Amino acid sequence: MPDVFLSYSRQDSEFARRLAASVSERGKEVWLDMEGIADGEVFPEAIKRAIEGSDAFLFVITPSSVKSSYCEHEVEYARAMQKRIVPVLRDPVPDSDLPPEIRDRNWIPFVEDAEFDPSLNRLVGALDTDLEAAKAHTRWLVKALEWDTEGREGSFLLRGAELTAAEGWLAGSPEDANPAPTSLQREYLLASRNAAALR
C-alpha cells in the first residue's frame, strides 16, 4: 500500500512528478495516477482504492486543481475515509475557491522553487507525524471496506490478537484524531467483537 496519495490537476503534471519523485527519494511510496492506473483500468475505482490504501492524502493547491471535478471528488472521498489531508500550496487561489477540508488546514508552501528543499523537509515531517496511528487507520479501514464489499461476510471479521490490536487502536483514538476512526471501522470492530463473543 502506498504511503501517500497525490491529488493534483493534470495541468500541473510537471510539478506533481517532481514532488512525487522527491517524496519517494525520502523513503515514501507515492501513488500518482500517471503510474498507478493500468491501461484499460476503470480509473475512478483505481483512484478510490488508492485513497483507501494510502496513509496520507496530499493535495496540490493551484487554480487548476481547485477547479477540477476529479480533484474535488478525490478530496471528498479522502474526507469520507477520514484520511490525513496535507495541502501543499503551489499557486495561490482565493480561499473561497477551496474546499473546507483544504482551506482550514495549514498549507506547506511550494510557491518558490528556491525554497523547494525546506518545504520538502516540512512535508516529510508532516507525513511522519503520528505515522503509526495513520498506518493503523489505513490497515483497519482496508479490512473494514473489504468486509463491507463482501456483504459483511463473517469470515472477514477480525479475531484473536488482530481484534485485540484493532480494539486497542480504537480505544486510543480520540474523537479529534487525525485521522479519526470512521463509522464503518467502528461497525466492523463491533461486529468482530460480537462474533468473537459468540464463539
Side-chain angles (χ1 to χ4, degrees):
M1 288 187 274
D3 298 303
V4 182
F5 178 96
L6 183 56
S7 178
Y8 68 100
S9 165
R10 284 289 176 99
Q11 294 181 32
D12 306 311
S13 294
E14 184 179 338
F15 174 75
R17 281 193 191 99
R18 179 183 180 196
L19 184 62
S22 299
V23 172
S24 293
E25 288 170 6
R26 297 293 187 93
K28 304 286 183 198
E29 184 180 339
V30 180
W31 194 93
L32 194 63
D33 65 349
M34 290 178 272
E35 301 158 3
I37 301 176
D39 293 337
E41 187 172 10
V42 179
F43 74 89
E45 288 305 310
I47 286 172
K48 285 174 73 173
R49 284 193 310 274
I51 292 171
E52 292 164 4
S54 297
D55 297 326
F57 179 89
L58 188 59
F59 184 80
V60 177
I61 301 171
T62 66
S64 300
S65 67
V66 299
K67 290 177 186 169
S68 165
S69 61
Y70 291 111
C71 289
E72 181 182 358
H73 294 309
E74 291 168 4
V75 170
E76 288 173 1
Y77 196 65
R79 182 197 51 77
M81 294 293 103
Q82 292 291 328
K83 290 296 173 177
R84 172 180 291 167
I85 297 175
V86 182
V88 300
L89 177 63
R90 179 60 178 166
D91 291 315
V93 297
D95 282 359
S96 58
D97 291 350
L98 292 166
E101 294 80 10
I102 303 301
R103 181 180 59 240
D104 297 340
R105 296 174 191 275
N106 193 25
W107 310 336
I108 300 171
F110 278 86
V111 178
E112 301 295 331
D113 285 336
E115 295 297 315
F116 188 90
D117 287 339
S119 294
L120 182 63
N121 290 337
R122 284 181 59 188
L123 173 57
V124 172
L127 295 173
D128 283 341
T129 300
D130 295 328
L131 182 60
E132 290 308 311
K135 287 190 173 298
H137 182 278
T138 299
R139 179 180 180 192
W140 307 127
L141 178 65
V142 168
K143 286 182 176 289
L145 287 165
E146 184 179 34
W147 168 70
D148 194 50
T149 300
E150 296 296 331
R152 301 192 171 203
E153 162 63 40
S155 63
F156 289 91
L157 294 172
L158 300 174
R159 39 181 72 83
E162 200 172 38
L163 175 56
T164 302
E167 288 175 327
W169 162 77
L170 183 62
S173 297
E175 289 299 318
D176 62 348
N178 182 19
T182 66
S183 57
L184 177 62
Q185 287 170 312
R186 293 178 189 280
E187 289 175 42
Y188 178 57
L189 295 189
L190 180 60
S192 296
R193 174 48 60 201
N194 289 341
L198 289 173
R199 282 195 297 274

